Amino acid sequence: VQTCALPICNLNCQCCDHFSPIAKPTFLDFDQYVKDLKRLSELTDNKIGLIKLQGGEPLLNDRLIDFMRVTREIFPNAFLCLFTAGLLLPKWGNKEGNQNFWKAVKE
């Protein structure tokens, strides 16, 4: 399962297969994401092995950690992948408490 946390990016790659350089900047609605994940869990008997969180650049989404947490809560046994260029990791790693990216990855 692939989820698009944010279809925009901080880069301008000519070969982008997500059309991020030309896409209208939009955020995935968090409440709709939760609703969709719960329904997907019901339909698959919670047997999803891999979930990819990607964009564009998912680190541009201020609610990324919320997306990660709810995905783990609904699919506790799935392998979660986050596709990022990594350039914005310092912004996330310096945050405190529940907003610290590395803490969220560990959990």
Side-chain angles (χ1 to χ4, degrees):
V1 175
Q2 296 182 22
T3 64
C4 186
L6 183 65
I8 63 172
C9 187
N10 57 322
L11 301 177
N12 192 19
C13 302
Q14 299 268 335
C15 60
C16 179
D17 64 353
H18 296 275
F19 304 103
S20 294
I22 60 173
K24 179 183 174 189
T26 57
F27 289 92
L28 183 64
D29 181 81
F30 181 75
D31 293 331
Q32 185 63 51
Y33 178 77
V34 173
K35 182 179 175 183
D36 291 347
L37 275 189
K38 287 180 179 178
R39 181 66 178 137
L40 186 60
S41 177
E42 293 170 7
L43 293 172
T44 63
D45 196 27
N46 207 359
K47 292 188 173 136
I48 298 289
L50 172 65
I51 298 175
K52 298 176 184 178
L53 301 172
Q54 56 192 47
E57 176 52 68
L59 294 175
L60 288 170
N61 190 328
D62 289 337
R63 295 205 64 191
L64 176 61
I65 291 176
D66 296 329
F67 280 90
M68 292 167 57
R69 275 201 188 97
V70 76
T71 304
R72 173 56 63 219
E73 288 170 7
I74 295 172
F75 288 99
N77 299 315
F79 182 70
L80 302 183
C81 290
L82 177 72
F83 288 86
T84 176
L87 298 174
L88 301 174
L89 284 171
K91 165 189 154 184
W92 285 91
N94 294 331
K95 293 187 178 190
E96 298 292 325
N98 291 337
Q99 290 303 306
N100 184 280
F101 177 79
W102 298 113
K103 180 181 175 190
V105 167
K106 182 179 176 184
E107 292 172 353

XYZ file of all heavy atoms in Angstrom:
859
model
N 0.852 -1.166 0.000
C 0.000 0.000 0.000
C 0.894 1.223 0.000
O 1.824 1.304 0.782
C -0.908 0.020 1.248
C -1.707 1.302 1.316
C -1.819 -1.181 1.266
N 0.613 2.163 -0.865
C 1.358 3.404 -0.895
C 0.435 4.540 -0.506
O -0.674 4.626 -0.996
C 1.927 3.683 -2.284
C 2.936 2.658 -2.723
C 3.513 3.005 -4.077
O 3.496 4.130 -4.518
N 4.043 2.006 -4.727
N 0.884 5.373 0.398
C 0.103 6.547 0.758
C 0.921 7.781 0.451
O 2.129 7.791 0.628
C -0.276 6.540 2.246
O 0.907 6.613 3.032
C -1.063 5.301 2.608
N 0.279 8.785 -0.029
C 0.960 10.014 -0.398
C 0.698 11.050 0.683
O -0.386 11.611 0.775
C 0.437 10.492 -1.750
S 1.313 11.901 -2.385
N 1.697 11.259 1.527
C 1.549 12.205 2.627
C 1.500 13.644 2.133
O 0.879 14.486 2.738
C 2.686 12.038 3.626
N 2.161 13.919 1.042
C 2.189 15.270 0.500
C 2.732 15.211 -0.918
O 3.864 14.814 -1.122
C 3.091 16.150 1.367
C 3.206 17.618 1.032
C 1.869 18.323 1.222
C 4.252 18.264 1.904
N 1.949 15.600 -1.910
C 2.418 15.486 -3.288
C 3.287 16.656 -3.752
O 3.407 16.886 -4.942
C 1.124 15.417 -4.079
C 0.157 16.198 -3.281
C 0.555 15.972 -1.847
N 3.860 17.420 -2.830
C 4.786 18.469 -3.227
C 6.165 18.150 -2.682
O 6.316 17.290 -1.824
C 4.325 19.882 -2.767
C 4.270 19.978 -1.253
C 3.015 20.252 -3.408
C 4.021 21.386 -0.744
N 7.163 18.851 -3.179
C 8.531 18.515 -2.820
C 9.364 19.781 -2.734
O 9.039 20.798 -3.345
C 9.094 17.561 -3.876
S 10.714 16.889 -3.466
N 10.459 19.699 -1.991
C 11.382 20.818 -1.889
C 12.452 20.764 -2.971
O 13.288 21.646 -3.066
C 12.026 20.856 -0.499
C 12.733 19.576 -0.150
O 12.258 18.488 -0.488
N 13.848 19.660 0.527
N 12.421 19.749 -3.806
C 13.348 19.625 -4.927
C 12.578 19.850 -6.229
O 11.362 19.982 -6.226
C 13.995 18.234 -4.920
C 14.769 17.874 -3.654
C 15.285 16.448 -3.749
C 15.905 18.834 -3.417
N 13.277 19.869 -7.325
C 12.646 20.086 -8.624
C 13.224 19.095 -9.626
O 13.763 19.482 -10.653
C 12.862 21.531 -9.083
C 12.000 21.891 -10.274
O 11.015 21.232 -10.567
N 12.383 22.938 -10.969
N 13.118 17.823 -9.328
C 13.723 16.787 -10.157
C 12.976 16.655 -11.487
O 11.749 16.500 -11.510
C 13.713 15.448 -9.433
S 14.581 15.485 -7.853
N 13.711 16.679 -12.573
C 13.127 16.573 -13.907
C 12.443 15.225 -14.126
O 11.502 15.123 -14.887
C 14.222 16.764 -14.957
C 14.890 18.111 -14.880
C 14.234 19.123 -15.781
O 13.613 18.769 -16.754
N 14.381 20.383 -15.448
N 12.920 14.188 -13.449
C 12.403 12.838 -13.677
C 11.388 12.395 -12.621
O 11.095 11.221 -12.502
C 13.552 11.855 -13.724
S 14.517 11.807 -12.199
N 10.815 13.321 -11.884
C 9.894 12.979 -10.802
C 8.679 12.231 -11.328
O 7.949 12.724 -12.191
C 9.450 14.254 -10.081
S 8.294 13.921 -8.738
N 8.447 11.028 -10.809
C 7.288 10.252 -11.259
C 6.039 10.529 -10.422
O 5.022 9.888 -10.582
C 7.601 8.765 -11.298
C 7.916 8.180 -9.937
O 8.030 8.944 -8.958
O 8.066 6.951 -9.847
N 6.125 11.486 -9.513
C 4.966 11.910 -8.726
C 4.455 13.275 -9.175
O 3.547 13.823 -8.574
C 5.323 11.975 -7.229
C 5.673 10.659 -6.653
N 4.740 9.776 -6.182
C 6.869 10.050 -6.502
C 5.344 8.686 -5.751
N 6.626 8.821 -5.933
N 5.082 13.837 -10.199
C 4.707 15.138 -10.743
C 4.766 16.247 -9.694
O 4.070 17.245 -9.800
C 3.322 15.082 -11.401
C 3.235 14.044 -12.469
C 2.594 12.831 -12.234
C 3.820 14.264 -13.707
C 2.531 11.856 -13.224
C 3.750 13.299 -14.706
C 3.113 12.089 -14.465
N 5.600 16.071 -8.689
C 5.699 17.060 -7.619
C 6.076 18.457 -8.097
O 5.547 19.434 -7.576
C 6.687 16.587 -6.560
O 6.180 15.446 -5.917
N 6.985 18.586 -9.068
C 7.333 19.945 -9.495
C 6.169 20.724 -10.112
O 6.178 21.942 -10.121
C 8.443 19.723 -10.532
C 9.029 18.412 -10.191
C 7.862 17.597 -9.688
N 5.160 20.016 -10.613
C 4.052 20.714 -11.268
C 2.705 20.517 -10.562
O 1.718 21.120 -10.942
C 3.920 20.288 -12.745
C 3.646 18.779 -12.862
C 5.157 20.697 -13.531
C 3.343 18.318 -14.267
N 2.693 19.707 -9.523
C 1.436 19.428 -8.813
C 1.010 20.613 -7.959
O 1.841 21.354 -7.428
C 1.589 18.191 -7.922
N -0.282 20.770 -7.825
C -0.815 21.793 -6.933
C -0.495 21.385 -5.490
O -0.754 20.253 -5.091
C -2.328 21.891 -7.124
C -2.995 22.896 -6.224
C -4.502 22.884 -6.425
C -5.149 23.796 -5.388
N -6.604 23.664 -5.409
N 0.073 22.289 -4.695
C 0.408 21.941 -3.302
C -0.852 21.613 -2.499
O -1.714 22.466 -2.308
C 1.076 23.204 -2.762
C 1.496 23.982 -3.960
C 0.516 23.638 -5.036
N -0.952 20.387 -2.071
C -2.087 19.948 -1.261
C -1.599 18.995 -0.183
O -0.590 18.327 -0.349
C -3.153 19.212 -2.106
O -2.534 18.102 -2.765
C -3.782 20.122 -3.143
N -2.320 18.954 0.899
C -2.038 18.000 1.964
C -3.098 16.914 1.955
O -4.264 17.188 1.685
C -2.073 18.690 3.336
C -0.924 19.604 3.581
C -1.015 20.948 3.261
C 0.250 19.134 4.133
C 0.044 21.801 3.491
C 1.314 19.979 4.366
C 1.214 21.317 4.047
N -2.687 15.711 2.283
C -3.628 14.630 2.476
C -4.414 14.917 3.744
O -3.833 15.269 4.771
C -2.860 13.308 2.606
C -3.656 12.027 2.755
C -4.492 11.774 1.508
C -2.706 10.858 2.985
N -5.727 14.800 3.687
C -6.571 15.048 4.853
C -6.360 13.934 5.879
O -6.583 12.760 5.583
C -8.040 15.126 4.422
C -8.948 15.396 5.590
O -9.055 16.570 5.990
O -9.541 14.423 6.113
N -5.926 14.306 7.068
C -5.586 13.319 8.092
C -6.786 12.468 8.501
O -6.683 11.242 8.598
C -4.982 14.000 9.326
C -4.582 13.035 10.395
C -3.443 12.264 10.251
C -5.345 12.880 11.536
C -3.066 11.357 11.223
C -4.978 11.975 12.522
C -3.833 11.210 12.360
N -7.933 13.089 8.734
C -9.119 12.327 9.166
C -9.560 11.342 8.090
O -9.949 10.214 8.403
C -10.261 13.275 9.527
C -9.946 14.104 10.769
O -9.191 13.619 11.634
O -10.450 15.238 10.862
N -9.470 11.747 6.827
C -9.824 10.841 5.735
C -8.821 9.694 5.654
O -9.184 8.558 5.394
C -9.892 11.590 4.403
C -10.366 10.733 3.247
C -11.793 10.238 3.439
O -12.690 11.008 3.726
N -11.996 8.939 3.284
N -7.547 9.995 5.889
C -6.507 8.970 5.893
C -6.807 7.913 6.959
O -6.734 6.712 6.690
C -5.144 9.612 6.152
C -3.996 8.639 6.216
C -3.467 8.086 5.059
C -3.425 8.281 7.433
C -2.412 7.186 5.112
C -2.368 7.394 7.502
C -1.865 6.855 6.336
O -0.821 5.960 6.402
N -7.162 8.352 8.154
C -7.484 7.424 9.236
C -8.688 6.566 8.844
O -8.667 5.343 9.014
C -7.752 8.185 10.556
C -8.264 7.240 11.629
C -6.500 8.903 11.027
N -9.703 7.192 8.318
C -10.903 6.465 7.888
C -10.551 5.426 6.814
O -10.994 4.278 6.882
C -11.931 7.462 7.347
C -13.221 6.858 6.917
C -14.184 7.940 6.425
C -15.455 7.309 5.870
N -16.368 8.308 5.337
N -9.746 5.829 5.845
C -9.347 4.915 4.771
C -8.516 3.754 5.295
O -8.703 2.601 4.884
C -8.574 5.658 3.689
C -9.427 6.626 2.894
O -10.681 6.564 2.987
O -8.844 7.466 2.175
N -7.587 4.035 6.215
C -6.765 2.957 6.778
C -7.601 1.954 7.568
O -7.378 0.750 7.479
C -5.680 3.523 7.692
C -4.380 3.981 7.072
C -3.366 4.304 8.159
C -3.799 2.992 6.100
N -8.556 2.467 8.330
C -9.421 1.568 9.102
C -10.230 0.666 8.167
O -10.371 -0.534 8.420
C -10.346 2.366 10.016
C -9.625 2.963 11.201
C -10.556 3.754 12.089
C -9.815 4.330 13.288
N -10.679 5.132 14.145
N -10.729 1.244 7.093
C -11.502 0.451 6.126
C -10.606 -0.569 5.432
O -10.996 -1.719 5.237
C -12.165 1.371 5.101
C -12.998 0.631 4.092
C -14.207 -0.026 4.742
N -15.003 -0.681 3.742
C -15.543 -1.876 3.877
N -15.419 -2.551 5.020
N -16.238 -2.411 2.910
N -9.395 -0.155 5.073
C -8.448 -1.071 4.449
C -8.107 -2.215 5.393
O -7.990 -3.374 4.973
C -7.176 -0.311 4.062
C -6.132 -1.063 3.272
C -6.694 -1.565 1.949
C -4.923 -0.167 3.034
N -7.980 -1.918 6.670
C -7.714 -2.955 7.663
C -8.856 -3.964 7.716
O -8.631 -5.169 7.791
C -7.502 -2.311 9.032
O -7.317 -3.291 10.017
N -10.082 -3.465 7.671
C -11.251 -4.357 7.669
C -11.263 -5.244 6.425
O -11.504 -6.445 6.517
C -12.544 -3.539 7.702
C -12.785 -2.783 8.979
C -13.959 -1.803 8.858
O -14.670 -1.816 7.825
O -14.151 -1.005 9.789
N -11.024 -4.640 5.276
C -11.100 -5.377 4.007
C -9.996 -6.415 3.858
O -10.183 -7.428 3.178
C -11.042 -4.402 2.828
C -12.234 -3.472 2.661
C -11.964 -2.444 1.576
C -13.493 -4.278 2.334
N -8.849 -6.190 4.472
C -7.709 -7.099 4.327
C -7.477 -7.967 5.550
O -6.482 -8.676 5.614
C -6.420 -6.303 4.044
O -6.145 -5.470 5.173
C -6.545 -5.476 2.772
N -8.384 -7.904 6.509
C -8.224 -8.625 7.771
C -6.886 -8.260 8.421
O -6.207 -9.101 8.996
C -8.346 -10.135 7.555
C -8.570 -10.899 8.845
O -9.123 -10.310 9.812
O -8.178 -12.085 8.909
N -6.502 -6.989 8.240
C -5.276 -6.424 8.806
C -4.020 -7.159 8.342
O -3.039 -7.269 9.070
C -5.343 -6.392 10.329
C -4.480 -5.295 10.915
O -3.807 -4.565 10.198
N -4.494 -5.180 12.218
N -4.055 -7.682 7.126
C -2.919 -8.447 6.611
C -2.180 -7.698 5.503
O -1.942 -8.228 4.433
C -3.389 -9.804 6.123
C -3.854 -10.676 7.262
C -4.155 -12.071 6.846
C -4.432 -12.867 8.092
N -5.518 -13.721 8.072
N -1.814 -6.460 5.783
C -0.973 -5.684 4.881
C 0.456 -5.816 5.382
O 0.733 -5.585 6.559
C -1.394 -4.195 4.873
C -2.819 -4.036 4.377
C -0.406 -3.356 4.065
C -3.019 -4.281 2.904
N 1.362 -6.208 4.500
C 2.741 -6.430 4.918
C 3.637 -5.218 4.799
O 4.625 -5.103 5.509
N 3.296 -4.288 3.882
C 4.160 -3.151 3.618
C 3.318 -1.915 3.329
O 2.400 -1.961 2.505
C 5.060 -3.438 2.406
C 5.914 -2.295 1.862
C 6.956 -1.868 2.879
C 6.566 -2.719 0.559
N 3.624 -0.830 4.007
C 2.965 0.451 3.764
C 4.053 1.484 3.527
O 4.981 1.622 4.325
C 2.074 0.875 4.947
C 0.959 -0.152 5.149
C 1.498 2.269 4.713
C 0.087 0.094 6.351
N 3.943 2.198 2.388
C 4.926 3.218 2.025
C 4.323 4.599 2.232
O 3.278 4.908 1.686
C 5.332 3.068 0.561
C 5.989 1.752 0.243
C 6.268 1.654 -1.244
C 6.846 0.312 -1.610
N 7.065 0.209 -3.072
N 4.983 5.403 3.023
C 4.607 6.799 3.201
C 5.554 7.620 2.340
O 6.763 7.576 2.529
C 4.728 7.215 4.667
C 3.881 6.437 5.658
C 4.231 6.819 7.075
C 2.416 6.660 5.393
N 4.992 8.320 1.383
C 5.832 9.045 0.442
C 5.154 10.305 -0.029
O 4.084 10.645 0.425
C 6.193 8.146 -0.744
C 4.994 7.560 -1.466
C 5.396 6.470 -2.434
O 6.167 5.585 -2.086
N 4.880 6.536 -3.638
N 5.754 11.005 -0.942
C 5.203 12.253 -1.465
C 5.348 12.266 -2.958
O 5.075 11.264 -3.579
N 5.914 13.263 -3.467
C 6.766 14.346 -3.086
C 7.678 14.052 -1.904
O 8.306 13.027 -1.825
N 7.720 15.018 -1.040
C 8.577 14.952 0.151
C 7.717 14.943 1.396
O 7.173 15.968 1.800
C 9.531 16.152 0.169
C 10.394 16.226 1.394
C 11.141 14.936 1.668
O 12.037 14.584 0.893
O 10.828 14.280 2.687
N 7.545 13.768 2.025
C 6.679 13.674 3.201
C 7.146 14.519 4.386
O 6.341 14.881 5.237
C 6.673 12.188 3.546
C 7.802 11.597 2.813
C 8.113 12.477 1.654
N 8.433 14.858 4.446
C 8.925 15.662 5.559
C 8.420 17.104 5.502
O 8.583 17.855 6.467
C 10.455 15.646 5.599
C 11.093 14.290 5.917
C 12.603 14.379 5.809
C 10.678 13.781 7.284
N 7.782 17.503 4.419
C 7.163 18.822 4.337
C 5.821 18.864 5.061
O 5.298 19.933 5.352
C 6.959 19.237 2.872
C 8.215 19.609 2.104
C 7.897 19.763 0.625
C 8.810 20.885 2.646
N 5.262 17.710 5.347
C 3.961 17.635 6.015
C 4.156 17.754 7.527
O 4.766 16.891 8.150
C 3.268 16.317 5.660
C 1.837 16.279 6.103
O 1.467 16.863 7.111
N 1.010 15.576 5.354
N 3.636 18.818 8.110
C 3.795 19.047 9.548
C 3.138 17.966 10.405
O 3.469 17.823 11.573
C 3.226 20.411 9.943
C 4.075 21.554 9.426
O 5.277 21.347 9.152
O 3.541 22.666 9.280
N 2.241 17.185 9.822
C 1.569 16.117 10.575
C 2.144 14.735 10.271
O 1.531 13.718 10.573
C 0.070 16.131 10.266
C -0.577 17.416 10.772
C -2.020 17.295 11.048
N -2.321 16.360 12.116
C -3.551 15.936 12.381
N -4.566 16.386 11.680
N -3.773 15.083 13.361
N 3.323 14.697 9.690
C 3.921 13.418 9.305
C 3.970 12.429 10.459
O 3.630 11.262 10.296
C 5.325 13.633 8.732
C 6.089 12.360 8.392
C 5.341 11.550 7.332
C 7.491 12.680 7.952
N 4.376 12.870 11.625
C 4.478 11.952 12.763
C 3.104 11.413 13.137
O 2.972 10.241 13.492
C 5.195 12.629 13.945
C 6.671 12.835 13.569
C 5.070 11.815 15.227
C 7.489 13.581 14.580
N 2.068 12.222 13.020
C 0.702 11.734 13.257
C 0.340 10.644 12.249
O -0.259 9.632 12.614
C -0.308 12.880 13.171
C -0.111 13.922 14.247
O 0.345 13.561 15.356
O -0.412 15.101 13.985
N 0.722 10.853 10.987
C 0.461 9.842 9.957
C 1.211 8.553 10.289
O 0.663 7.456 10.157
C 0.893 10.355 8.576
C -0.089 11.276 7.922
C -0.021 12.645 8.135
C -1.077 10.790 7.079
C -0.913 13.516 7.521
C -1.985 11.644 6.473
C -1.904 13.005 6.693
N 2.448 8.674 10.734
C 3.239 7.493 11.088
C 2.605 6.755 12.265
O 2.471 5.523 12.233
C 4.674 7.916 11.434
C 5.468 8.433 10.253
S 7.019 9.273 10.691
C 7.879 8.030 11.629
N 2.213 7.499 13.291
C 1.648 6.871 14.491
C 0.348 6.126 14.201
O 0.158 4.993 14.634
C 1.397 7.925 15.557
C 2.600 8.211 16.373
C 2.256 8.856 17.720
N 3.507 9.250 18.307
C 4.010 10.475 18.234
N 3.352 11.431 17.641
N 5.176 10.744 18.771
N -0.560 6.786 13.494
C -1.851 6.146 13.240
C -1.692 4.936 12.312
O -2.394 3.944 12.467
C -2.892 7.162 12.706
C -2.653 7.519 11.250
C -4.294 6.638 12.901
N -0.749 5.015 11.394
C -0.495 3.869 10.522
C -0.016 2.682 11.340
O -0.472 1.556 11.160
C 0.540 4.236 9.433
O 0.068 5.374 8.700
C 0.761 3.086 8.478
N 0.885 2.947 12.289
C 1.393 1.876 13.155
C 0.293 1.343 14.069
O 0.204 0.148 14.317
C 2.569 2.403 13.993
C 3.084 1.441 15.042
C 3.509 0.074 14.525
N 4.623 0.167 13.617
C 4.750 -0.582 12.524
N 3.835 -1.467 12.204
N 5.786 -0.445 11.739
N -0.581 2.204 14.559
C -1.677 1.758 15.432
C -2.646 0.842 14.684
O -3.078 -0.176 15.224
C -2.438 2.962 15.982
C -1.671 3.750 17.020
C -2.334 5.080 17.377
O -3.468 5.345 16.914
O -1.700 5.866 18.109
N -2.966 1.201 13.465
C -3.952 0.423 12.708
C -3.332 -0.829 12.100
O -3.979 -1.871 12.028
C -4.619 1.312 11.634
C -5.414 2.420 12.331
C -5.515 0.496 10.710
C -5.967 3.480 11.412
N -2.080 -0.740 11.686
C -1.373 -1.893 11.117
C -0.112 -2.175 11.935
O 1.009 -1.874 11.500
C -1.008 -1.624 9.647
C -2.181 -1.645 8.728
C -2.781 -0.464 8.333
C -2.711 -2.840 8.264
C -3.865 -0.467 7.482
C -3.798 -2.859 7.415
C -4.385 -1.668 7.017
N -0.276 -2.756 13.123
C 0.872 -2.950 14.023
C 1.929 -3.912 13.488
O 3.077 -3.866 13.917
C 0.238 -3.480 15.309
C -1.075 -4.048 14.890
C -1.518 -3.256 13.707
N 1.575 -4.784 12.548
C 2.530 -5.772 12.053
C 3.109 -5.436 10.680
O 3.936 -6.177 10.166
C 1.873 -7.153 12.010
C 1.429 -7.594 13.386
O 2.159 -7.470 14.352
N 0.207 -8.089 13.487
N 2.659 -4.345 10.081
C 3.141 -3.976 8.752
C 4.525 -3.339 8.832
O 4.871 -2.687 9.817
C 2.164 -3.009 8.088
N 5.294 -3.528 7.791
C 6.583 -2.857 7.648
C 6.297 -1.487 7.059
O 5.641 -1.375 6.025
C 7.490 -3.677 6.731
C 8.854 -3.102 6.559
C 9.759 -3.106 7.607
C 9.237 -2.565 5.356
C 11.024 -2.570 7.455
C 10.501 -2.030 5.189
C 11.401 -2.040 6.245
N 6.726 -0.420 7.741
C 6.482 0.939 7.269
C 7.753 1.496 6.630
O 8.817 1.439 7.227
C 6.073 1.864 8.421
C 4.845 1.478 9.224
C 4.547 2.543 10.272
C 3.653 1.269 8.317
N 7.599 2.039 5.423
C 8.710 2.683 4.723
C 8.378 4.152 4.542
O 7.253 4.493 4.176
C 8.914 2.072 3.341
S 9.557 0.414 3.359
N 9.353 4.991 4.773
C 9.202 6.423 4.533
C 10.209 6.799 3.464
O 11.407 6.627 3.641
C 9.468 7.226 5.807
C 9.405 8.734 5.648
C 7.961 9.190 5.447
C 10.009 9.423 6.843
N 9.712 7.274 2.325
C 10.580 7.674 1.224
C 10.823 9.173 1.294
O 9.892 9.960 1.168
C 9.944 7.294 -0.118
C 9.967 5.826 -0.373
C 8.966 5.009 0.111
C 11.008 5.253 -1.082
C 8.990 3.644 -0.115
C 11.042 3.886 -1.307
C 10.035 3.079 -0.824
N 12.071 9.545 1.505
C 12.436 10.944 1.638
C 13.816 11.178 1.049
O 14.655 10.273 1.029
C 12.435 11.382 3.122
O 12.895 12.722 3.206
C 13.298 10.492 3.991
N 14.046 12.401 0.574
C 15.383 12.783 0.128
C 16.278 13.009 1.343
O 17.500 12.980 1.247
C 15.323 14.046 -0.727
N 15.677 13.242 2.503
C 16.418 13.371 3.752
C 16.962 14.758 4.057
O 17.505 14.974 5.134
N 16.813 15.682 3.137
C 17.373 17.016 3.352
C 16.717 17.768 4.504
O 17.321 18.666 5.091
C 17.255 17.850 2.071
C 18.017 17.294 0.866
C 17.712 18.114 -0.382
C 19.511 17.283 1.141
N 15.490 17.412 4.845
C 14.766 18.105 5.912
C 14.826 17.378 7.251
O 14.212 17.810 8.219
C 13.307 18.314 5.495
C 13.114 19.131 4.216
C 11.649 19.164 3.813
C 13.646 20.535 4.397
N 15.579 16.287 7.331
C 15.677 15.540 8.590
C 16.188 16.373 9.760
O 15.687 16.223 10.878
C 16.534 14.285 8.415
C 15.844 13.142 7.683
C 16.844 12.038 7.371
C 14.671 12.609 8.484
N 17.150 17.275 9.576
C 17.577 18.096 10.721
C 16.438 18.901 11.339
O 16.379 19.065 12.554
C 18.649 19.010 10.128
C 19.196 18.234 8.985
C 18.000 17.500 8.410
N 15.516 19.374 10.514
C 14.351 20.121 11.021
C 13.534 19.254 11.974
O 13.065 19.710 13.004
C 13.483 20.562 9.830
C 12.091 21.010 10.190
C 11.246 21.219 8.932
C 9.787 21.033 9.261
N 8.916 21.118 8.123
N 13.391 17.988 11.645
C 12.574 17.082 12.446
C 13.327 16.539 13.648
O 12.752 16.321 14.707
C 12.070 15.937 11.581
C 10.977 16.368 10.675
C 11.113 16.853 9.404
C 9.592 16.396 10.970
N 9.880 17.163 8.896
C 8.929 16.894 9.833
C 8.844 16.049 12.084
C 7.554 17.047 9.777
C 7.470 16.193 12.033
C 6.844 16.691 10.889
N 14.607 16.274 13.504
C 15.377 15.668 14.578
C 15.601 16.576 15.767
O 15.899 16.105 16.858
N 15.457 17.882 15.579
C 15.688 18.830 16.659
C 14.440 19.114 17.480
O 14.520 19.837 18.464
C 16.238 20.145 16.095
C 17.613 19.961 15.498
O 18.371 19.102 15.925
N 17.926 20.740 14.484
N 13.314 18.587 17.082
C 12.076 18.853 17.819
C 12.058 18.045 19.104
O 12.677 17.004 19.228
C 10.865 18.529 16.951
C 10.749 19.466 15.761
C 9.470 19.254 15.012
C 9.387 20.254 13.870
N 8.081 20.260 13.254
N 11.291 18.520 20.063
C 11.212 17.886 21.379
C 10.000 16.959 21.481
O 9.015 17.109 20.758
C 11.102 18.959 22.468
C 12.300 19.888 22.536
C 13.556 19.185 23.004
O 13.455 18.283 23.848
O 14.640 19.535 22.513
N 10.061 16.031 22.404
C 8.927 15.192 22.777
C 8.313 14.411 21.635
O 9.011 13.781 20.853
N 6.990 14.471 21.540
C 6.245 13.690 20.562
C 6.458 14.140 19.125
O 6.028 13.463 18.206
C 4.750 13.721 20.883
C 4.429 12.952 22.138
O 5.187 12.073 22.544
N 3.326 13.278 22.767
N 7.084 15.276 18.918
C 7.330 15.765 17.561
C 8.748 15.456 17.071
O 9.125 15.872 15.991
C 7.044 17.265 17.480
C 5.576 17.600 17.582
C 4.751 16.902 16.504
O 5.025 17.000 15.323
N 3.722 16.186 16.929
N 9.519 14.703 17.846
C 10.856 14.326 17.419
C 10.767 13.146 16.460
O 10.245 12.087 16.804
C 11.728 13.971 18.624
C 13.146 13.669 18.213
O 13.432 12.568 17.743
N 14.033 14.631 18.378
N 11.270 13.345 15.254
C 11.170 12.342 14.193
C 11.816 11.021 14.593
O 11.249 9.960 14.392
C 11.815 12.894 12.915
C 11.816 11.916 11.790
C 10.672 11.714 11.040
C 12.957 11.200 11.461
C 10.661 10.809 9.982
C 12.958 10.302 10.415
C 11.805 10.107 9.673
N 13.020 11.072 15.143
C 13.749 9.839 15.459
C 13.053 9.060 16.574
O 13.042 7.830 16.555
C 15.190 10.157 15.804
C 15.881 10.789 14.633
C 16.342 12.065 14.551
C 16.115 10.185 13.354
N 16.867 12.274 13.303
C 16.734 11.149 12.548
C 15.859 8.932 12.807
C 17.118 10.908 11.227
C 16.219 8.684 11.494
C 16.837 9.652 10.718
N 12.456 9.753 17.499
C 11.658 9.086 18.540
C 10.457 8.386 17.920
O 10.137 7.245 18.256
C 11.208 10.104 19.585
C 10.392 9.491 20.693
C 9.948 10.551 21.702
C 9.027 9.902 22.723
N 8.391 10.886 23.568
N 9.794 9.072 16.977
C 8.634 8.483 16.307
C 9.034 7.264 15.478
O 8.309 6.267 15.457
C 7.954 9.530 15.432
N 10.169 7.315 14.819
C 10.637 6.180 14.029
C 10.888 4.988 14.954
O 10.508 3.855 14.656
C 11.910 6.542 13.235
C 12.582 5.295 12.673
C 11.581 7.526 12.124
N 11.508 5.248 16.082
C 11.799 4.174 17.040
C 10.523 3.515 17.549
O 10.442 2.310 17.685
C 12.617 4.731 18.209
C 13.008 3.703 19.224
C 13.827 4.320 20.344
C 14.120 3.282 21.401
N 14.824 3.885 22.537
N 9.519 4.357 17.835
C 8.260 3.834 18.356
C 7.480 3.134 17.279
O 6.694 2.264 17.485
C 7.430 4.974 18.951
C 8.049 5.542 20.204
C 7.353 6.801 20.709
O 6.461 7.331 20.026
O 7.723 7.258 21.797
